[in-house]
Amino acid sequence: VQLQASGGGSVQAGGSLRLSCAASERSASVSAMGWFRQAPGKEREFVAALRWSGGGIYYEDSVKGRFIISRDNAKNSINLQMNSLKPEDTAVYYCAAKEGPRPITSEMRRDRAYNMWGQGTLVTVSS
């Protein structure tokens, strides 16, 4: 299974962008999907994630109330609606998926819990 992210681009502060991540094929073993980001000179950090079954949606504190993660079962994809964007949201955004047992809550925000990664899409927010 391969992940393909799309939707990045440039926007002014306060604007919106929508990222999408599609899996190349349906995998019954995918238990969670999410988004991470890496800003220049910084480590990769968690943004948002959801479990594919059993519920559970998680957000990094700085994006709560601004970003919305959602899933599209028919398209084997997830989306990240990003509103009220800030310059500090500028980063390469990576889609990730976990194949295997459903992750526990503490794992959802850890990049090492995910074993499939997309190629990254750049989001640039200007002030």
Side-chain angles (χ1 to χ4, degrees):
V1 177
Q2 293 182 332
L3 303 178
Q4 181 70 41
S6 61
S10 298
V11 66
Q12 289 190 329
S16 298
L17 284 173
R18 183 178 176 88
L19 305 183
S20 294
C21 175
S24 59
E25 60 187 75
R26 184 174 181 82
S27 172
S29 62
V30 169
S31 56
M33 293 184 72
W35 294 93
F36 289 75
R37 66 187 180 186
Q38 187 166 21
K42 294 187 177 182
E43 294 186 352
R44 186 165 58 190
E45 66 173 1
F46 170 76
V47 176
L50 53 78
R51 287 197 189 91
W52 212 247
S53 65
I57 294 178
Y58 304 84
Y59 294 99
E60 196 268 332
D61 287 345
S62 69
V63 308
K64 283 181 181 177
R66 300 188 298 123
F67 291 10
I68 301 172
I69 187 172
S70 61
R71 56 189 283 183
D72 186 330
N73 291 344
K75 296 181 179 180
N76 302 323
S77 66
I78 58 171
N79 302 299
L80 185 68
Q81 178 66 42
M82 305 186 295
N83 302 318
S84 301
L85 282 161
K86 304 175 181 180
E88 51 263 44
D89 294 318
T90 294
V92 176
Y93 284 70
Y94 296 92
C95 172
K98 173 180 170 58
E99 278 194 312
R102 189 173 64 189
I104 61 176
T105 298
S106 61
E107 292 178 318
M108 292 295 293
R109 293 177 172 86
R110 297 176 184 170
D111 58 1
R112 63 176 181 267
Y114 298 83
N115 45 23
M116 294 190 296
W117 292 85
Q119 83 284 10
T121 184
L122 178 63
V123 171
T124 302
V125 184
S126 58
S127 57

